[in-house]
Amino acid sequence: MASFISVPLKKTSEVELVKPLCKFIQNTYPPGTEQAEYCRAVEELGKLRKSAVGRPLDKHESSLDTVMRYYDQLGSIEPKFPFAEGQLCLTFTWKDAFDKGSLFGGSVKLGLPSLGYEKTCVLFNIGALASQIASEQNLDNDEAMKAASRYYQLAAGAFSHIKDTVLSALNRDPTVDISPDTVGTLSVIMLAQAQEVFFMKATRDKMKDALIAKLANQAADFYGDAFKQCQYKDALPKEVFPVLAAKHCIMQAYAEYHQSVLAKQQKKFGEEVGRLQHAADLVKTVSSRYDEYVSAKDLSDKISRALTAAKKDNDFIYHDRVPDLKDLDPIGKAALVKPTPVTSPLSPKYSDLFEKMVPLAVQQSLSVYNQRKADLINTTIAKMRDATTLCNGVLASLNLPAAIEDVSGDSIPQSILQKSKAVIEQGGIQTIDQLIRDLPELLQRNKEILDASLKFLDEEEATDNELKAKFKERWQRTPSNELYKPLRTEGSNFRSVLDKAVGADAVVKERYQSQREAISILCKGEADLNGAIPSANPAKTMQGSEVVTTLKSLLANLDEVKREREQLENDIKSVNFDMTTKFLTALAQDGAINEEALSVTELDRIYGSYTDKMQRNLAKQEELISNIQVSHQEFSKMKQSNSEANLREEVLKKLAAGHDSYIELVANLREGTQFYNDLTEILLKFQGKCSDIVFARKTERDELLKDLQQSIAREPSAPSMPAVPSYQTAAPTPPAGTATSSTPTPAPRNVYANKQPPPRPPPPSVPASAPAPVSAGQNMNPAVPGASAPAPTQPLPNTIPSQAQGPPFPTYPGYTGYYGMPMPVGYNPYMYGQTMPPYLYQPQAGQAPYPTQQPGFPCPQPPFYQPQ
C-alpha cells in the first residue's frame, strides 16, 4: 500500500521578542530581583522560539516536544502581556505551508500583530510534525504502530482545534492552509490514517474477520469524507486527491473481502461471491486509475484467487444465488480513533518561565486599585491640610498667639521669632525664587517630549495615508488613524494635564507676589525684624487676666489637634496592602475580576478607622476655633484702642500669614517640581511606546510593500487581449459585378483552385546492386528532376509500424484523458486522389503522438509553384 500522507511545516520570519517584552517589564515592574528574573525569562522565550520555529526540524519526538513547549509558553504569556495593536508592537509573519512560491519569487504569507495568530501557526506545525513522525514509523512492530496511531490522532486534534478557533483568534481571513475548510479536511485525513493503522494491527494479529471488516469500512468512510471535502477545493496539493480516492477504494475492498470470509463461514456462498466481485471491481478501479499512486497488486491477487475459488465452489456445488450489490447487508463500522484534545500543557516537560508574573487582568485590576487607593489617601490628606490651612488663617487674622505674647509693645513676639527662624532654615526667599525659575524649564522639557512623540505618529500616519491612496484596496492593513486612537487619547490627556499645571503655576506665582514683602521681612535678622515691626504702648495689665489664660489654653489644645493630624497623615501614608492574592483568587474561582467590589470593600476595611479619626479631629478643631474666636473678642475689648497698637497688630498678622504662605508655597513648588519630573518619566515611556509602534509599523509597511511589488510583477500586463477590430475580421468588399461568396478566398500560394497537378512520372528503375548511402546534402524529393531516392530491399508493410509507448496517462474524476492531435501533413500534389502512404502516420484519438519513420524513407518535400 502507498505511503501515508504527511503535512509540510509552515515557515516563519524572525521576530524580535526580547526587546519589546523587556521594555514592557521595565515599564511595569519596579527595578529589583523580579524585574531581572522576568527579563531573563524573556530571553529564554526568544531562544525557545528560534529552536521551535526558526530552524529546520528533525522528524523526531524531541523536535515535537520543543514545539509543544513553545506553544505552552505562548499560552502562559498570553494573559500576562498586552499582545494587542498599539501596546506591544510585535508582528508575526508566517508563510502558507502549501504554497511553493512563484517564478518571480515570493510566496503567500500573512503578518499579524496577534499572539493568537502565532499560537495557531505553531499548533499547525505541531499537527504537521506529528503527521511526519507518524509517517516515518516502521509499521513492522507493535510499538511503532501504536506510536503512529497516537501521532496521527494528535495531528487530528491539533487541526480540529485550529478549525474551531482560527477565525476568533485572527479576526480576519487566514491563509488557505489554516482556513477552517483546509484544517478540517486535514483532521479527517489524519483520523483515516490512524484508523488504517488499527486495521493493519488487527490484520496482523489475525483478529476476527467481522471486526477487521468494520475497521476497514470505517477507514474507508474517513477517506471518502476527506476526498469529498477537498476534491472541489484548491487548498491541498493535487497529488493528495488520487491517494485519498485510491485508499477509499482499497479499504472498502478490504472490508468486502473480510466480510466475504465471514459470509463463507455462515455458509452464505452467494453473498461471498457478490462481495468478492465488488471487491474485485474496486481493486480494478484502483489499478486502472491510481496505479502510479497506490499499489494494490497483492490485494488484487488475493481477491482474484478467492473469487475464482468461490465461483467454482458455488457453480459446481452450492448453486447459491449471487445477490446484487444493493441487496447486500451494509457492513458495520468500528471507530477506534478520535482527535486528541488540545489541553494545556501539551508537553510533559513544560515548566512555566513566567510562573511568578501575574496575569494582565490582575495587573490591570491592581493598577485601578492603586489609583482608587491613591485617590482615597489624597482626598483624606487634602481635607486635613485644608483644615490646617483654615486654622492658620483664622489664627493669623486674630494675630494669635502673637497678640497674647506681645506684652512689652517693643520686643518681637516669640511666635514671630519661631516663624522667622523656620523660614530662614528652609532657605528663605531664594528657595522660592529658584523653584519658580526651574518650573518653566521643566514644563518646556515635557512639552517637547510630548510634541516629539505625537510627531512620530503624525509622520507615520501621513505615510500610511499616502500608500493607502496609492494602492487603494491592495493596502490591506489596519489604518494608522484607527490604530493610534488610544495613543492619541493618551496624548490628549497629557496635554490637558500640562495645561492645568500651567494654570496652577500661575496661581502659585500670583500668591507669592502678594506675600513676597512679608516673607522678605521674616528672612531678616532679629534686629532688622524688630525694626520692621512698629512699637506700641505696653499691655502688661492683661498678662494675668483670665481671658489671656483661656486663650493660651485653647491655643495649646489647637496645637495638639494639629500634631494629631500630622501623625494621622503619616499613618495613612504608611499603610500598605497587596491585593494581588485576592485578585488571583477571584480570577481562579470566577474566571473574571470584579475589581470595583473587591477594591471598595478592602479600602473600607483598611482605611475606615483612619477616616473616623480624621472626622473626630476636624470636629474638635472646629469647636476649638469657635471658642478661640469668642475669647479673642473679649481680649480685644480689654486692649487699649490706639493707632500704634493697631498698626503693630496688622504687621504681626501679615508676618504670621507670610510664614504660613511661605510654608505652603514651598510645599506646592516642590510638589510641582516633583510632578514635572515624574511626568517626564511617564512621557519618555509614552515616547518609547510611540517610537516602538512606529518602528513596528514601518517594518510591517516595508514587508507589505515588498509583497505588493512581487504581486504586481507576477500579474499580467492586461487581463485579456483587446477585441479584434471589425475591419480586420470582415471580408474585403468585392468589385462591382463580381459574384460574392460567404467563404473567403484563400491566398493563391495556399490553395490552387484552377491548376491541376501534372501526371505522376513512373517510378525510377532500380539496379540490382544495393543503393549507395544517401548523403546529407542530397535531394530526396522524387518530384524534382535529378533527385534520387534509395530503393527498398523489402516491400513496405501494409500495417502501421509499432511504436514505443510512454507511461499510461492517469485519469481522475472529471478528467477525460489525453487525446493526441493528428500530425500535420505537408502539401503534396501527387497525393490527390490516392491513399495515404503508410509512412505518413496519423495517431488515433487518445494515443500519444509518438510517430516513427522507416529508415531510408524520408517524407517527400512538395515542389514550389510560383504564384500566378
Side-chain angles (χ1 to χ4, degrees):
M1 193 176 294
S3 60
F4 290 90
I5 297 171
S6 60
V7 182
L9 296 173
K10 289 176 71 68
K11 296 180 180 179
T12 182
S13 302
E14 186 175 352
V15 177
E16 178 57 59
L17 281 176
V18 178
K19 215 169 162 185
L21 294 183
C22 284
K23 183 175 285 189
F24 170 80
I25 290 171
Q26 292 166 359
N27 294 339
T28 306
Y29 298 92
T33 307
E34 285 189 354
Q35 186 185 101
E37 185 178 346
Y38 296 158
C39 289
R40 284 194 297 270
V42 168
E43 293 175 359
E44 291 297 324
L45 179 66
K47 295 177 183 178
L48 183 58
R49 186 181 195 274
K50 291 180 180 179
S51 300
V53 299
R55 63 180 179 87
L57 297 174
D58 298 330
K59 299 175 183 178
H60 192 267
E61 186 176 359
S62 60
S63 299
L64 180 61
D65 184 72
T66 301
V67 184
M68 285 180 171
R69 284 192 292 114
Y70 177 59
Y71 179 83
D72 292 334
Q73 290 295 344
L74 292 178
S76 170
I77 67 174
E78 187 173 21
K80 299 177 181 179
F81 289 93
F83 285 95
E85 293 184 351
Q87 298 187 56
L88 274 178
C89 307
L90 288 171
T91 299
F92 301 99
T93 303
W94 288 82
K95 297 180 181 179
D96 190 322
F98 301 114
D99 183 70
K100 304 301 182 183
S102 66
L103 179 64
F104 299 98
S107 59
V108 178
K109 55 186 175 181
L110 176 64
L112 292 177
S114 166
L115 190 70
Y117 177 53
E118 174 86 346
K119 287 183 63 181
T120 298
C121 295
V122 173
L123 186 59
F124 181 93
N125 274 7
I126 290 174
L129 187 56
S131 73
Q132 294 177 13
I133 296 173
S135 300
E136 291 292 319
Q137 298 295 317
N138 182 7
L139 301 181
D140 292 335
N141 61 80
D142 291 346
E143 292 300 322
M145 297 183 81
K146 291 179 181 178
S149 177
R150 184 175 71 253
Y151 285 127
Y152 280 133
Q153 292 179 77
L154 173 62
F159 294 134
S160 178
H161 186 79
I162 296 173
K163 176 186 177 183
D164 298 335
T165 60
V166 62
L167 295 181
S168 60
L170 269 62
N171 293 323
R172 62 163 294 171
D173 292 336
T175 50
V176 177
D177 56 344
I178 58 173
S179 65
D181 291 341
T182 304
V183 291
T185 302
L186 292 176
S187 179
V188 178
I189 292 175
M190 296 300 113
L191 279 182
Q193 296 185 153
Q195 181 77 14
E196 183 179 348
V197 171
F198 272 107
F199 160 76
M200 296 170 65
K201 176 77 165 57
T203 303
R204 178 176 299 170
D205 293 346
K206 297 181 179 180
M207 295 184 178
K208 294 182 178 180
D209 290 286
L211 176 60
I212 297 176
K214 291 179 180 179
L215 292 175
N217 195 34
Q218 181 64 68
D221 194 44
F222 282 143
Y223 279 119
D225 289 344
F227 181 77
K228 290 176 184 177
Q229 291 180 21
C230 68
Q231 65 175 334
Y232 300 114
K233 300 181 179 67
D234 297 330
L236 299 178
K238 295 296 183 184
E239 58 268 19
V240 172
F241 306 157
V243 173
L244 295 177
K247 287 205 169 188
H248 169 68
C249 293
I250 288 177
M251 297 310 299
Q252 198 171 354
Y254 270 118
E256 294 290 350
Y257 171 78
H258 286 280
Q259 194 70 18
S260 71
V261 175
L262 182 63
K264 183 178 181 180
Q265 295 171 358
Q266 297 174 351
K267 302 187 181 304
K268 299 178 181 179
F269 303 106
E271 179 182 343
E272 177 192 8
V273 174
R275 292 193 181 279
L276 288 173
Q277 285 178 345
H278 185 209
D281 293 339
L282 291 170
V283 173
K284 188 181 299 182
T285 301
V286 174
S287 300
S288 61
R289 294 186 178 183
Y290 314 114
D291 187 57
E292 63 177 300
Y293 298 98
V294 177
S295 174
K297 187 176 185 307
D298 293 341
L299 177 61
S300 177
D301 294 343
K302 182 189 294 186
I303 293 175
S304 178
R305 290 192 300 269
L307 178 60
T308 301
K311 277 186 175 181
K312 182 177 179 181
D313 291 344
N314 192 51
D315 291 343
F316 289 97
I317 302 174
Y318 305 112
H319 304 290
D320 195 3
R321 186 183 69 85
V322 178
D324 293 336
L325 179 63
K326 61 182 180 179
D327 296 331
L328 293 175
D329 294 333
I331 303 173
K333 299 175 185 178
L336 299 185
V337 296
K338 62 181 179 179
T340 302
V342 177
T343 57
S344 182
L346 284 177
S347 171
K349 301 179 182 178
Y350 165 70
S351 61
D352 191 357
L353 295 174
F354 301 88
E355 184 177 4
K356 296 181 180 179
M357 183 181 288
V358 297
L360 187 61
V362 176
Q363 294 180 26
Q364 294 171 345
S365 299
L366 285 173
S367 177
V368 177
Y369 164 77
N370 290 330
Q371 185 62 43
R372 291 181 188 274
K373 174 183 173 182
D375 292 343
L376 176 62
I377 293 175
N378 292 337
T379 301
T380 305
I381 292 176
K383 287 181 180 180
M384 293 190 292
R385 289 182 178 179
D386 289 343
T388 301
T389 302
L390 175 64
C391 174
N392 293 336
V394 171
L395 295 180
S397 65
L398 300 178
N399 192 26
L400 294 174
I404 59 177
E405 294 172 354
D406 188 18
V407 293
S408 65
D410 294 324
S411 62
I412 304 173
Q414 189 64 31
S415 61
I416 297 299
L417 284 175
Q418 292 176 355
K419 288 179 170 54
S420 175
K421 184 179 179 181
V423 170
I424 293 172
E425 286 177 353
Q426 295 192 33
I429 201 167
Q430 291 82 7
T431 300
I432 294 184
D433 290 339
Q434 183 62 41
L435 290 172
I436 290 178
R437 281 195 299 269
D438 292 343
L439 287 181
E441 296 179 5
L442 299 174
L443 174 65
Q444 184 62 27
R445 181 180 65 186
N446 288 332
K447 284 186 175 180
E448 290 174 356
I449 295 174
L450 180 59
D451 292 340
S453 303
L454 296 177
K455 186 178 179 181
F456 289 153
L457 304 182
D458 294 338
E459 292 176 351
E460 199 283 326
E461 184 174 337
T463 304
D464 183 70
N465 292 335
E466 291 176 2
L467 293 172
K468 179 68 174 176
K470 180 178 180 181
F471 293 105
K472 296 182 173 56
E473 66 276 357
R474 290 175 178 266
W475 197 246
Q476 295 290 336
R477 73 167 184 168
T478 306
S480 294
N481 57 350
E482 296 181 9
L483 182 60
Y484 296 156
K485 282 181 180 179
L487 293 175
R488 297 283 189 191
T489 303
E490 196 173 354
S492 299
N493 293 336
F494 288 139
R495 185 78 68 186
S496 176
V497 168
L498 288 175
D499 293 341
K500 290 180 181 179
V502 170
D505 293 346
V507 172
V508 170
K509 292 177 182 177
E510 182 179 355
R511 185 175 179 185
Y512 170 61
Q513 293 300 326
S514 65
Q515 298 292 335
R516 182 181 176 84
E517 182 181 359
I519 296 173
S520 300
I521 295 173
L522 290 172
C523 294
K524 296 179 179 181
E526 186 174 348
D528 295 335
L529 179 60
N530 191 21
I533 301 174
S535 61
N537 294 328
K540 295 181 179 179
T541 55
M542 294 186 293
Q543 278 298 310
S545 66
E546 185 179 353
V547 175
V548 174
T549 304
T550 303
L551 277 174
K552 286 183 178 181
S553 176
L554 291 173
L555 290 174
N557 292 337
L558 188 60
D559 288 340
E560 181 64 25
V561 169
K562 291 165 67 175
R563 283 192 296 271
E564 288 179 2
R565 203 154 50 231
E566 291 175 358
Q567 183 61 41
L568 184 60
E569 179 177 339
N570 293 331
D571 292 343
I572 291 176
K573 289 181 178 178
S574 64
V575 173
N576 189 17
F577 182 78
D578 189 7
M579 286 287 292
T580 304
T581 304
K582 286 189 172 294
F583 288 146
L584 284 173
T585 303
L587 184 63
Q589 291 178 351
D590 305 332
I593 300 175
N594 188 347
E595 181 276 329
E596 183 176 3
L598 292 174
S599 298
V600 170
T601 303
E602 199 62 27
L603 290 174
D604 288 343
R605 183 185 68 81
I606 297 173
Y607 293 99
S609 59
Y610 295 103
T611 304
D612 294 340
K613 290 180 181 179
M614 180 196 69
Q615 296 295 341
R616 291 196 298 269
N617 183 277
L618 296 181
K620 187 175 181 180
Q621 173 181 292
E622 185 177 357
E623 181 182 356
L624 288 173
I625 288 178
S626 177
N627 293 334
I628 288 172
Q629 288 174 333
V630 172
S631 298
H632 185 268
Q633 288 178 357
E634 296 178 5
F635 175 75
S636 298
K637 292 177 182 178
M638 294 174 58
K639 289 181 64 177
Q640 296 179 357
S641 180
N642 56 61
S643 57
E644 293 179 357
N646 292 337
L647 180 59
R648 180 180 176 85
E649 187 169 352
E650 288 298 325
V651 172
L652 293 175
K653 288 180 180 180
K654 287 182 179 179
L655 292 178
H659 166 266
D660 295 338
S661 296
Y662 178 84
I663 299 299
E664 187 174 354
L665 286 171
V666 170
N668 291 339
L669 289 172
R670 285 177 176 165
E671 285 181 1
T673 302
Q674 184 65 36
F675 164 77
Y676 282 128
N677 289 330
D678 294 343
L679 184 61
T680 299
E681 295 183 8
I682 296 174
L683 288 175
L684 287 174
K685 293 180 181 179
F686 176 72
Q687 186 181 35
K689 188 188 298 185
C690 294
S691 175
D692 289 345
I693 192 172
V694 167
F695 178 78
R697 293 282 286 179
K698 181 180 181 299
T699 304
E700 181 185 4
R701 180 186 69 207
D702 294 343
E703 194 77 17
L704 186 56
L705 277 174
K706 181 180 177 181
D707 293 343
L708 281 175
Q709 290 168 357
Q710 293 176 350
S711 175
I712 292 172
R714 291 194 296 266
E715 290 180 354
S717 301
S720 61
M721 291 297 293
V724 179
S726 58
Y727 71 87
Q728 295 184 11
T729 57
T733 306
T738 305
T740 60
S741 173
S742 60
T743 304
T745 303
R749 67 173 180 268
N750 294 332
V751 178
Y752 303 94
N754 299 324
K755 186 174 180 66
Q756 296 294 331
R760 184 175 184 181
S765 59
V766 181
S769 61
V774 181
S775 63
Q778 279 184 300
N779 188 353
M780 301 303 297
N781 193 341
V784 180
S788 63
T793 58
Q794 293 179 358
L796 295 175
N798 295 325
T799 60
I800 296 176
S802 63
Q803 301 186 38
Q805 298 295 320
F809 292 88
T811 59
Y812 310 122
Y815 181 71
T816 56
Y818 181 88
Y819 293 93
M821 297 296 294
M823 287 292 293
V825 179
Y827 172 74
N828 189 344
Y830 297 104
M831 288 181 57
Y832 279 27
Q834 308 206 16
T835 59
M836 179 184 295
Y839 52 80
L840 290 179
Y841 167 65
Q842 270 189 308
Q844 297 179 358
Q847 186 176 7
Y850 299 127
T852 60
Q853 194 161 295
Q854 294 294 328
F857 288 90
C859 180
Q861 299 295 322
F864 176 77
Y865 289 95
Q866 184 69 27
Q868 296 181 356

